[in-house]
Structure formats: C-alpha cells, structure tokens
Amino acid sequence: MSQTTAIQDTKPLPAVSDRHVDPHSYPKGIAFLDGQYLPMSQAKISVLDWGFLHSDATYDTVHVWNGRFFRLDLHLERFFGGLEKLRMTIPFDREGVAEILHNCVALSGHRAAYVEVLCTRGASPTFSRDPRQAVNRFMAFAVPFGSVANAEQLRRGLHVAVSDKVRIPPASIDPAIKNYHWLDLVRGLYDAYDSGAETALILDFNGNVAEGPGFNVFCVKDGKLSTPDIGVLPGITRRTVFDLCAEAGLAATAANVSVAALKAADEVFITSTAGGIMPVTRIDGTPVADGKVGAITSRLMARYWEKHDDPAWSNPVRYP
C-alpha cells in the first residue's frame, strides 16, 4: 500500500464550510452586484466565471474629483461599445448604469474616487464550454482615487523603461475594447522594475512604442504632440489631451512613434484616468531633454484639472 493510499484510508475528509471567511483586507468603498449595494469586502464572483478563468470581460473606469464625475458620458460610450463587440448584454441602459455609478460613489462618501463598471462573460450553470450558455455578470464599484504616479513622481517626472515585450496585436484583440489581457503589460512592468525604473512602455508588432500598464504616452517635439496610433487603447484621457490641444491651438497627431523618436523628444508624458496627465523625465535611465517637466506638459496638466470644475466636462455626484 502506498503512503498516499494509507493517508486517504485513515484521514477523515475535511468539513465543508457553509460560508467563506475572507481573511483579506480591501479598500473602503461600495460595490454593486446582482442588484445589491455592498461593502467592497462582500463583492465576490464565482471561480467558474469566465472573466476569472479566461479574462473574458470588458470594463471601464471613470474618476470622481471634488465630488464630480469627469467625462462620464465618454466612458459609458466606450463601455457599451465593448459590450456590443463582445456580444454581452446587461439589464441596464446608459442612464441606468450612470445611476448605479452615482449611487456607488454617493454611498461610499468618497469625494475623490476610482469608479469601475464591468461585465464578465459569467458562468454556465452546467460548466459548458460554450460562451453562449454563460450568464453575463454586471458589476460596478467605487473606491478611493488612485494614481499611476505618486506626488513626488508628478513633481519631478516618472522614470520609465521601454520593454521589448510586444502588445497583443489588434488583429487578435480589438484595443478599443477595454479588457483585462494584461500579461504582456505586467511582463513589461517587471522588466522596468528590474532595470530600476518606475513603470514601463511596451512595443507594438512593428517595434514602435505602444502603451504602458493602464496608460497612453505622448511626446512633444518642436511644440507638436504625437501619440501612438496602432494597437493601443483609445484612452479617454488621451482624447482629452487632443481636446485640450485643440482649445490651446497646439498640433497633436496620432501616428507611429519610434523608440528613438520618444527618446529624442523635448517632453514626454503619459495619460490615464488614474492620474490624468503625468510627466516623464527619464527613459531607460537617460533624461528626457533637460530632465525637467516641460512647459507644454505643465500647461496641459493645469488645464486638465481646471476642466474638472467645468459643467461641460463633468457632472456632480448627488451625495446624501
């Protein structure tokens, strides 16, 4: 008799718990799940959910600043576009989702919040391999606002490394669908950490600069802005930069950006809902231009945050 067989013969089976006791901690916030508003610690999905098993999901994030949602309509437009492209359905229209997000923030009490709305493929009641038999799951939550860059990095600029990892090509995954396929980005991030940098940029399939973990990138040369146009998420903050440039009379284009062009830029910055417009002052250990935050970057950063109080760009949360 083998040792394994002996253990099985003599050791009783463990008891099955009637509920899960979660030993982990979570940020303070409110989630919406299955028609219920819950503390973040109570928001759970099944381990059989395709969103967990296969990264089969789409989502969007919007932030609240000084008690106001910023460009919520654009985020909802992208979210519903992703649902349609992935053949997912939810029991709410845009107004319904907007109300749920407002409720999550208002119930949380956060005046500065990171707010996410997501839909997973869900799980099949029979564990079928057919995605058409899965029941789609809609969720939303609001937690305290967080930024890609901390206060010191915003002041002196981020230190970025360019990884040789390649972003998933658009022929495989439409980058306009915001998704959780991040292993290429995470591998690039570890490359950056190994080199002493703070975050990463990875390449597109042509060897040009693509994007980073949760952000787009811009470079400024001779007063003109450019940002990668192939294989990248068309970020809302990226779009906001184009809108700000149009107001300020600055030229901005989406085009191929080589690694050499990025390193030769006068200014570089990244853009994300999680942080807004954030300066980059070192790439692969070498200063960008004089190694200081550039004038155009500073100007756009200031204008970006001013827009958060503009009713044309933001709308208030209805707190109790």
Short mmCIF file of all heavy atoms in Angstrom, two decimals, residues 87-141:
data_model
loop_
_atom_site.label_atom_id
_atom_site.label_comp_id
_atom_site.label_asym_id
_atom_site.label_seq_id
_atom_site.Cartn_x
_atom_site.Cartn_y
_atom_site.Cartn_z
N ARG A 87 -20.47 40.78 -27.63
CA ARG A 87 -21.75 40.07 -27.61
C ARG A 87 -22.20 39.78 -26.19
O ARG A 87 -22.70 38.68 -25.88
CB ARG A 87 -21.69 38.78 -28.44
CG ARG A 87 -21.24 39.00 -29.88
CD ARG A 87 -21.39 37.74 -30.69
NE ARG A 87 -20.83 37.90 -32.01
CZ ARG A 87 -21.01 37.03 -33.02
NH1 ARG A 87 -21.75 35.96 -32.83
NH2 ARG A 87 -20.45 37.23 -34.19
N MET A 88 -22.07 40.78 -25.34
CA MET A 88 -22.56 40.70 -23.97
C MET A 88 -23.76 41.61 -23.81
O MET A 88 -23.89 42.61 -24.52
CB MET A 88 -21.47 41.10 -22.98
CG MET A 88 -20.28 40.17 -22.90
SD MET A 88 -19.07 40.78 -21.71
CE MET A 88 -17.82 39.49 -21.83
N THR A 89 -24.61 41.26 -22.86
CA THR A 89 -25.78 42.09 -22.56
C THR A 89 -25.89 42.30 -21.06
O THR A 89 -25.51 41.42 -20.26
CB THR A 89 -27.08 41.46 -23.07
OG1 THR A 89 -27.26 40.17 -22.46
CG2 THR A 89 -27.05 41.31 -24.58
N ILE A 90 -26.41 43.46 -20.69
CA ILE A 90 -26.67 43.76 -19.29
C ILE A 90 -28.09 44.30 -19.18
O ILE A 90 -28.64 44.80 -20.16
CB ILE A 90 -25.66 44.78 -18.70
CG1 ILE A 90 -25.74 46.13 -19.44
CG2 ILE A 90 -24.24 44.22 -18.78
CD1 ILE A 90 -24.89 47.22 -18.82
N PRO A 91 -28.71 44.22 -18.01
CA PRO A 91 -30.11 44.63 -17.87
C PRO A 91 -30.29 46.13 -17.60
O PRO A 91 -31.27 46.53 -17.00
CB PRO A 91 -30.58 43.80 -16.68
CG PRO A 91 -29.37 43.64 -15.84
CD PRO A 91 -28.22 43.51 -16.81
N PHE A 92 -29.32 46.95 -18.04
CA PHE A 92 -29.39 48.38 -17.79
C PHE A 92 -29.00 49.14 -19.06
O PHE A 92 -28.13 48.71 -19.80
CB PHE A 92 -28.44 48.79 -16.67
CG PHE A 92 -28.61 48.01 -15.39
CD1 PHE A 92 -27.74 46.98 -15.07
CD2 PHE A 92 -29.66 48.30 -14.52
CE1 PHE A 92 -27.90 46.25 -13.90
CE2 PHE A 92 -29.84 47.57 -13.35
CZ PHE A 92 -28.96 46.55 -13.05
N ASP A 93 -29.64 50.30 -19.27
CA ASP A 93 -29.20 51.19 -20.33
C ASP A 93 -28.18 52.16 -19.76
O ASP A 93 -27.78 52.05 -18.59
CB ASP A 93 -30.38 51.92 -20.96
CG ASP A 93 -31.19 52.75 -19.95
OD1 ASP A 93 -30.69 53.02 -18.83
OD2 ASP A 93 -32.32 53.15 -20.30
N ARG A 94 -27.74 53.12 -20.55
CA ARG A 94 -26.68 54.03 -20.09
C ARG A 94 -27.12 54.86 -18.90
O ARG A 94 -26.33 55.08 -17.97
CB ARG A 94 -26.24 54.95 -21.25
CG ARG A 94 -25.61 54.17 -22.39
CD ARG A 94 -25.00 55.08 -23.43
NE ARG A 94 -24.61 54.31 -24.61
CZ ARG A 94 -23.86 54.77 -25.58
NH1 ARG A 94 -23.41 56.01 -25.53
NH2 ARG A 94 -23.56 54.01 -26.62
N GLU A 95 -28.37 55.30 -18.91
CA GLU A 95 -28.86 56.09 -17.78
C GLU A 95 -28.89 55.23 -16.52
O GLU A 95 -28.57 55.72 -15.42
CB GLU A 95 -30.25 56.64 -18.09
CG GLU A 95 -30.28 57.73 -19.14
CD GLU A 95 -30.05 57.21 -20.56
OE1 GLU A 95 -30.25 55.99 -20.80
OE2 GLU A 95 -29.65 58.00 -21.44
N GLY A 96 -29.26 53.96 -16.67
CA GLY A 96 -29.29 53.06 -15.52
C GLY A 96 -27.92 52.82 -14.94
O GLY A 96 -27.73 52.80 -13.72
N VAL A 97 -26.92 52.63 -15.82
CA VAL A 97 -25.55 52.43 -15.35
C VAL A 97 -25.02 53.70 -14.69
O VAL A 97 -24.37 53.64 -13.64
CB VAL A 97 -24.63 52.00 -16.52
CG1 VAL A 97 -23.17 51.97 -16.07
CG2 VAL A 97 -25.04 50.62 -17.04
N ALA A 98 -25.31 54.85 -15.28
CA ALA A 98 -24.88 56.11 -14.68
C ALA A 98 -25.45 56.26 -13.28
O ALA A 98 -24.76 56.71 -12.35
CB ALA A 98 -25.29 57.28 -15.56
N GLU A 99 -26.72 55.89 -13.10
CA GLU A 99 -27.33 55.99 -11.78
C GLU A 99 -26.65 55.06 -10.78
O GLU A 99 -26.42 55.43 -9.62
CB GLU A 99 -28.83 55.66 -11.87
CG GLU A 99 -29.55 55.77 -10.53
CD GLU A 99 -31.03 55.46 -10.63
OE1 GLU A 99 -31.51 55.17 -11.75
OE2 GLU A 99 -31.71 55.50 -9.59
N ILE A 100 -26.33 53.84 -11.21
CA ILE A 100 -25.65 52.89 -10.33
C ILE A 100 -24.28 53.43 -9.91
O ILE A 100 -23.90 53.35 -8.73
CB ILE A 100 -25.50 51.52 -11.04
CG1 ILE A 100 -26.87 50.85 -11.14
CG2 ILE A 100 -24.52 50.62 -10.30
CD1 ILE A 100 -26.91 49.66 -12.06
N LEU A 101 -23.54 54.01 -10.85
CA LEU A 101 -22.23 54.57 -10.52
C LEU A 101 -22.37 55.74 -9.54
O LEU A 101 -21.58 55.87 -8.59
CB LEU A 101 -21.51 55.01 -11.78
CG LEU A 101 -21.17 53.90 -12.79
CD1 LEU A 101 -20.36 54.46 -13.95
CD2 LEU A 101 -20.42 52.76 -12.13
N HIS A 102 -23.36 56.60 -9.79
CA HIS A 102 -23.61 57.69 -8.86
C HIS A 102 -23.90 57.15 -7.46
O HIS A 102 -23.40 57.66 -6.45
CB HIS A 102 -24.79 58.54 -9.34
CG HIS A 102 -24.41 59.63 -10.29
ND1 HIS A 102 -24.31 59.41 -11.64
CD2 HIS A 102 -24.11 60.93 -10.09
CE1 HIS A 102 -23.97 60.54 -12.24
NE2 HIS A 102 -23.84 61.48 -11.33
N ASN A 103 -24.74 56.10 -7.39
CA ASN A 103 -25.09 55.53 -6.09
C ASN A 103 -23.88 54.94 -5.38
O ASN A 103 -23.72 55.11 -4.16
CB ASN A 103 -26.16 54.46 -6.27
CG ASN A 103 -27.50 55.03 -6.68
OD1 ASN A 103 -27.75 56.23 -6.54
ND2 ASN A 103 -28.37 54.18 -7.22
N CYS A 104 -23.02 54.25 -6.12
CA CYS A 104 -21.82 53.66 -5.51
C CYS A 104 -20.96 54.75 -4.88
O CYS A 104 -20.46 54.61 -3.75
CB CYS A 104 -21.01 52.88 -6.55
SG CYS A 104 -21.72 51.29 -7.03
N VAL A 105 -20.76 55.84 -5.62
CA VAL A 105 -19.92 56.93 -5.10
C VAL A 105 -20.60 57.62 -3.93
O VAL A 105 -19.98 57.87 -2.89
CB VAL A 105 -19.60 57.94 -6.21
CG1 VAL A 105 -18.78 59.10 -5.65
CG2 VAL A 105 -18.83 57.27 -7.35
N ALA A 106 -21.88 57.95 -4.08
CA ALA A 106 -22.59 58.65 -3.01
C ALA A 106 -22.63 57.82 -1.73
O ALA A 106 -22.41 58.35 -0.63
CB ALA A 106 -24.00 59.00 -3.47
N LEU A 107 -22.89 56.53 -1.86
CA LEU A 107 -22.93 55.66 -0.68
C LEU A 107 -21.56 55.50 -0.05
O LEU A 107 -21.45 55.31 1.16
CB LEU A 107 -23.51 54.30 -1.06
CG LEU A 107 -25.00 54.28 -1.41
CD1 LEU A 107 -25.40 52.95 -2.03
CD2 LEU A 107 -25.85 54.57 -0.17
N SER A 108 -20.51 55.54 -0.87
CA SER A 108 -19.15 55.42 -0.33
C SER A 108 -18.72 56.68 0.40
O SER A 108 -17.88 56.64 1.30
CB SER A 108 -18.14 55.13 -1.45
OG SER A 108 -17.87 56.30 -2.22
N GLY A 109 -19.27 57.82 -0.01
CA GLY A 109 -18.89 59.10 0.57
C GLY A 109 -17.61 59.68 0.01
O GLY A 109 -17.20 60.77 0.39
N HIS A 110 -16.98 58.99 -0.95
CA HIS A 110 -15.70 59.46 -1.49
C HIS A 110 -15.90 60.68 -2.38
O HIS A 110 -16.74 60.67 -3.29
CB HIS A 110 -15.02 58.36 -2.30
CG HIS A 110 -14.63 57.16 -1.50
ND1 HIS A 110 -14.01 57.25 -0.28
CD2 HIS A 110 -14.77 55.83 -1.77
CE1 HIS A 110 -13.79 56.04 0.18
NE2 HIS A 110 -14.24 55.16 -0.69
N ARG A 111 -15.14 61.72 -2.14
CA ARG A 111 -15.15 62.91 -3.00
C ARG A 111 -14.12 62.80 -4.11
O ARG A 111 -14.19 63.52 -5.10
CB ARG A 111 -14.87 64.16 -2.15
CG ARG A 111 -15.91 64.39 -1.06
CD ARG A 111 -17.14 65.05 -1.60
NE ARG A 111 -18.24 65.05 -0.64
CZ ARG A 111 -19.37 65.74 -0.80
NH1 ARG A 111 -19.54 66.47 -1.88
NH2 ARG A 111 -20.31 65.69 0.11
N ALA A 112 -13.15 61.93 -3.92
CA ALA A 112 -12.17 61.59 -4.96
C ALA A 112 -12.19 60.08 -5.07
O ALA A 112 -11.83 59.38 -4.12
CB ALA A 112 -10.78 62.10 -4.61
N ALA A 113 -12.65 59.56 -6.21
CA ALA A 113 -12.89 58.13 -6.31
C ALA A 113 -12.45 57.57 -7.65
O ALA A 113 -12.46 58.26 -8.67
CB ALA A 113 -14.38 57.83 -6.09
N TYR A 114 -12.08 56.31 -7.61
CA TYR A 114 -11.81 55.49 -8.79
C TYR A 114 -13.05 54.61 -8.94
O TYR A 114 -13.39 53.85 -8.03
CB TYR A 114 -10.56 54.66 -8.56
CG TYR A 114 -10.18 53.69 -9.64
CD1 TYR A 114 -9.23 54.04 -10.61
CD2 TYR A 114 -10.72 52.41 -9.70
CE1 TYR A 114 -8.85 53.15 -11.59
CE2 TYR A 114 -10.34 51.51 -10.69
CZ TYR A 114 -9.41 51.89 -11.62
OH TYR A 114 -9.04 51.00 -12.61
N VAL A 115 -13.75 54.74 -10.06
CA VAL A 115 -15.04 54.08 -10.23
C VAL A 115 -14.97 53.15 -11.44
O VAL A 115 -14.59 53.58 -12.53
CB VAL A 115 -16.16 55.12 -10.42
CG1 VAL A 115 -17.53 54.45 -10.41
CG2 VAL A 115 -16.08 56.21 -9.35
N GLU A 116 -15.32 51.91 -11.23
CA GLU A 116 -15.22 50.94 -12.32
C GLU A 116 -16.57 50.30 -12.58
O GLU A 116 -17.34 50.01 -11.67
CB GLU A 116 -14.19 49.86 -11.99
CG GLU A 116 -13.93 48.89 -13.13
CD GLU A 116 -12.61 48.15 -13.00
OE1 GLU A 116 -11.62 48.76 -12.57
OE2 GLU A 116 -12.58 46.96 -13.33
N VAL A 117 -16.84 50.07 -13.86
CA VAL A 117 -18.00 49.34 -14.30
C VAL A 117 -17.50 48.19 -15.17
O VAL A 117 -16.60 48.37 -15.99
CB VAL A 117 -18.98 50.25 -15.07
CG1 VAL A 117 -18.31 50.92 -16.26
CG2 VAL A 117 -20.21 49.49 -15.53
N LEU A 118 -18.03 47.00 -14.96
CA LEU A 118 -17.50 45.85 -15.70
C LEU A 118 -18.58 44.81 -15.96
O LEU A 118 -19.59 44.74 -15.25
CB LEU A 118 -16.33 45.21 -14.97
CG LEU A 118 -16.56 44.64 -13.57
CD1 LEU A 118 -15.69 43.42 -13.35
CD2 LEU A 118 -16.23 45.67 -12.50
N CYS A 119 -18.32 44.02 -16.97
CA CYS A 119 -19.19 42.90 -17.28
C CYS A 119 -18.32 41.71 -17.67
O CYS A 119 -17.42 41.84 -18.52
CB CYS A 119 -20.14 43.24 -18.43
SG CYS A 119 -21.33 41.93 -18.82
N THR A 120 -18.56 40.58 -17.03
CA THR A 120 -17.85 39.36 -17.38
C THR A 120 -18.78 38.46 -18.20
O THR A 120 -20.00 38.63 -18.20
CB THR A 120 -17.39 38.59 -16.14
OG1 THR A 120 -18.54 38.04 -15.47
CG2 THR A 120 -16.62 39.50 -15.18
N ARG A 121 -18.18 37.50 -18.88
CA ARG A 121 -19.00 36.54 -19.62
C ARG A 121 -19.89 35.78 -18.65
O ARG A 121 -20.99 35.33 -19.00
CB ARG A 121 -18.10 35.55 -20.38
CG ARG A 121 -18.83 34.57 -21.28
CD ARG A 121 -19.42 35.26 -22.49
NE ARG A 121 -18.40 35.91 -23.29
CZ ARG A 121 -18.64 36.76 -24.28
NH1 ARG A 121 -19.90 37.06 -24.60
NH2 ARG A 121 -17.66 37.33 -24.96
N GLY A 122 -19.44 35.65 -17.41
CA GLY A 122 -20.21 34.93 -16.40
C GLY A 122 -19.91 33.45 -16.42
O GLY A 122 -18.91 33.00 -16.99
N ALA A 123 -20.76 32.68 -15.80
CA ALA A 123 -20.56 31.23 -15.71
C ALA A 123 -21.76 30.50 -16.29
O ALA A 123 -22.88 30.99 -16.24
CB ALA A 123 -20.35 30.82 -14.25
N SER A 124 -21.50 29.33 -16.83
CA SER A 124 -22.56 28.46 -17.31
C SER A 124 -23.07 27.62 -16.15
O SER A 124 -22.26 27.09 -15.37
CB SER A 124 -22.04 27.55 -18.42
OG SER A 124 -22.88 26.42 -18.59
N PRO A 125 -24.38 27.45 -15.99
CA PRO A 125 -24.91 26.60 -14.91
C PRO A 125 -24.43 25.15 -14.99
O PRO A 125 -24.41 24.44 -13.98
CB PRO A 125 -26.43 26.69 -15.10
CG PRO A 125 -26.65 27.97 -15.84
CD PRO A 125 -25.45 28.12 -16.74
N THR A 126 -24.01 24.72 -16.20
CA THR A 126 -23.56 23.34 -16.38
C THR A 126 -22.05 23.25 -16.65
O THR A 126 -21.56 22.20 -17.03
CB THR A 126 -24.31 22.69 -17.55
OG1 THR A 126 -24.04 23.43 -18.75
CG2 THR A 126 -25.81 22.68 -17.30
N PHE A 127 -21.33 24.39 -16.48
CA PHE A 127 -19.90 24.47 -16.78
C PHE A 127 -19.63 24.15 -18.26
O PHE A 127 -18.63 23.54 -18.63
CB PHE A 127 -19.08 23.55 -15.87
CG PHE A 127 -17.61 23.91 -15.82
CD1 PHE A 127 -17.19 25.22 -15.62
CD2 PHE A 127 -16.64 22.94 -16.01
CE1 PHE A 127 -15.86 25.55 -15.59
CE2 PHE A 127 -15.28 23.26 -15.96
CZ PHE A 127 -14.90 24.58 -15.76
N SER A 128 -20.55 24.57 -19.11
CA SER A 128 -20.41 24.37 -20.55
C SER A 128 -19.23 25.17 -21.08
O SER A 128 -18.90 26.24 -20.58
CB SER A 128 -21.69 24.82 -21.25
OG SER A 128 -21.50 24.93 -22.64
N ARG A 129 -18.61 24.67 -22.13
CA ARG A 129 -17.51 25.38 -22.80
C ARG A 129 -18.04 26.35 -23.86
O ARG A 129 -17.27 27.03 -24.51
CB ARG A 129 -16.58 24.37 -23.48
CG ARG A 129 -16.01 23.31 -22.55
CD ARG A 129 -14.95 23.86 -21.64
NE ARG A 129 -13.71 24.13 -22.37
CZ ARG A 129 -12.59 24.55 -21.78
NH1 ARG A 129 -12.56 24.76 -20.48
NH2 ARG A 129 -11.51 24.78 -22.50
N ASP A 130 -19.33 26.42 -24.01
CA ASP A 130 -19.96 27.29 -25.00
C ASP A 130 -20.23 28.65 -24.35
O ASP A 130 -21.06 28.74 -23.43
CB ASP A 130 -21.27 26.65 -25.47
CG ASP A 130 -21.92 27.42 -26.62
OD1 ASP A 130 -21.60 28.62 -26.80
OD2 ASP A 130 -22.77 26.82 -27.31
N PRO A 131 -19.56 29.72 -24.81
CA PRO A 131 -19.76 31.02 -24.17
C PRO A 131 -21.19 31.54 -24.27
O PRO A 131 -21.61 32.38 -23.48
CB PRO A 131 -18.78 31.94 -24.91
CG PRO A 131 -18.55 31.28 -26.23
CD PRO A 131 -18.61 29.81 -25.94
N ARG A 132 -21.95 31.02 -25.23
CA ARG A 132 -23.33 31.47 -25.38
C ARG A 132 -24.21 31.00 -24.24
O ARG A 132 -25.30 31.54 -24.03
CB ARG A 132 -23.89 30.98 -26.72
CG ARG A 132 -23.19 31.55 -27.95
CD ARG A 132 -23.64 30.86 -29.21
NE ARG A 132 -23.30 29.43 -29.18
CZ ARG A 132 -23.56 28.57 -30.16
NH1 ARG A 132 -24.17 29.00 -31.27
NH2 ARG A 132 -23.23 27.29 -30.06
N GLN A 133 -23.75 30.01 -23.49
CA GLN A 133 -24.53 29.48 -22.39
C GLN A 133 -24.17 30.11 -21.05
O GLN A 133 -24.77 29.79 -20.02
CB GLN A 133 -24.36 27.96 -22.31
CG GLN A 133 -24.93 27.24 -23.53
CD GLN A 133 -24.86 25.73 -23.42
OE1 GLN A 133 -24.68 25.19 -22.33
NE2 GLN A 133 -24.99 25.05 -24.55
N ALA A 134 -23.20 30.99 -21.06
CA ALA A 134 -22.82 31.69 -19.82
C ALA A 134 -23.80 32.84 -19.56
O ALA A 134 -24.29 33.48 -20.49
CB ALA A 134 -21.40 32.21 -19.92
N VAL A 135 -24.05 33.10 -18.30
CA VAL A 135 -24.92 34.21 -17.90
C VAL A 135 -24.04 35.41 -17.57
O VAL A 135 -23.27 35.38 -16.60
CB VAL A 135 -25.78 33.81 -16.67
CG1 VAL A 135 -26.68 34.99 -16.27
CG2 VAL A 135 -26.60 32.56 -16.97
N ASN A 136 -24.12 36.44 -18.39
CA ASN A 136 -23.25 37.62 -18.21
C ASN A 136 -23.48 38.25 -16.84
O ASN A 136 -24.60 38.31 -16.34
CB ASN A 136 -23.51 38.65 -19.30
CG ASN A 136 -23.25 38.12 -20.71
OD1 ASN A 136 -23.69 38.71 -21.68
ND2 ASN A 136 -22.53 37.01 -20.84
N ARG A 137 -22.37 38.75 -16.23
CA ARG A 137 -22.43 39.37 -14.89
C ARG A 137 -22.02 40.83 -14.99
O ARG A 137 -20.92 41.15 -15.47
CB ARG A 137 -21.48 38.67 -13.92
CG ARG A 137 -21.79 37.23 -13.58
CD ARG A 137 -22.98 37.01 -12.69
NE ARG A 137 -22.94 37.59 -11.37
CZ ARG A 137 -22.29 37.07 -10.33
NH1 ARG A 137 -21.50 36.01 -10.48
NH2 ARG A 137 -22.39 37.63 -9.14
N PHE A 138 -22.88 41.71 -14.50
CA PHE A 138 -22.61 43.13 -14.46
C PHE A 138 -22.24 43.54 -13.04
O PHE A 138 -22.89 43.11 -12.08
CB PHE A 138 -23.82 43.93 -14.92
CG PHE A 138 -23.70 45.42 -14.69
CD1 PHE A 138 -22.99 46.21 -15.58
CD2 PHE A 138 -24.26 46.00 -13.56
CE1 PHE A 138 -22.86 47.58 -15.36
CE2 PHE A 138 -24.14 47.37 -13.33
CZ PHE A 138 -23.44 48.15 -14.23
N MET A 139 -21.19 44.37 -12.91
CA MET A 139 -20.74 44.82 -11.60
C MET A 139 -20.25 46.26 -11.70
O MET A 139 -19.91 46.73 -12.79
CB MET A 139 -19.59 43.94 -11.09
CG MET A 139 -19.98 42.51 -10.73
SD MET A 139 -18.57 41.37 -10.80
CE MET A 139 -18.70 40.78 -12.47
N ALA A 140 -20.19 46.92 -10.57
CA ALA A 140 -19.62 48.27 -10.50
C ALA A 140 -19.11 48.50 -9.09
O ALA A 140 -19.57 47.85 -8.14
CB ALA A 140 -20.68 49.31 -10.86
N PHE A 141 -18.16 49.41 -8.96
CA PHE A 141 -17.69 49.74 -7.61
C PHE A 141 -17.01 51.10 -7.60
O PHE A 141 -16.59 51.63 -8.64
CB PHE A 141 -16.73 48.67 -7.07
CG PHE A 141 -15.45 48.49 -7.85
CD1 PHE A 141 -14.35 49.32 -7.65
CD2 PHE A 141 -15.32 47.46 -8.77
CE1 PHE A 141 -13.17 49.15 -8.34
CE2 PHE A 141 -14.14 47.27 -9.47
CZ PHE A 141 -13.06 48.12 -9.26
#
